[in-house]
Amino acid sequence: MADQLLDQVRDAVEGQIDFEGQRWAELITNVLLGAVGIVAFLVGFMAQDIKLSLYIGLAGTVLTFAVVVPPWPFYNKNPEPWLPPHAATSGFQSIQVDGQKVG
């Protein structure tokens, strides 16, 4: 049981996300920061208070940080499969590209 808990903690801290998760993180970042910037500007302009505008922008940046930076599970829904390792027959490994040995 302790090993399972340790594995869950290790997976959470390791921070693996897939390529689709990276795309989502970038999209969420752009949308949230853009929306917060517009709201902060409009509220600050209507209230004529730059301090309020800066606080709204800072709160939105912290919110965006909390949504994007941790490796939430929905960022790793489409992991790419890795190629299985193969055993080398000799100390020299050759590289094959389209069926032809390169190195």
Side-chain angles (χ1 to χ4, degrees):
M1 182 164 148
D3 289 336
Q4 292 174 345
L5 182 62
L6 184 61
D7 286 340
Q8 289 176 351
V9 170
R10 188 177 299 126
D11 288 341
V13 173
E14 200 169 85
Q16 293 182 355
I17 65 173
D18 57 21
F19 294 118
E20 191 68 24
Q22 289 176 2
R23 189 180 69 80
W24 273 107
E26 182 182 1
L27 179 67
I28 291 170
T29 300
N30 290 334
V31 168
L32 281 178
L33 288 179
V36 166
I38 291 170
V39 168
F41 174 76
L42 291 175
V43 169
F45 182 75
M46 294 180 77
Q48 291 294 304
D49 189 2
I50 188 72
K51 195 175 186 180
L52 178 62
S53 181
L54 290 175
Y55 283 143
I56 292 172
L58 179 64
T61 303
V62 170
L63 173 72
T64 303
F65 182 85
V67 170
V68 173
V69 171
W72 299 108
F74 64 89
Y75 288 138
N76 199 15
K77 284 186 176 179
N78 304 308
E80 291 289 327
W82 291 87
L83 293 175
H86 65 285
T89 56
S90 65
F92 178 74
Q93 291 184 354
S94 63
I95 299 172
Q96 290 188 2
V97 177
D98 294 332
Q100 298 177 350
K101 289 186 179 181
V102 177

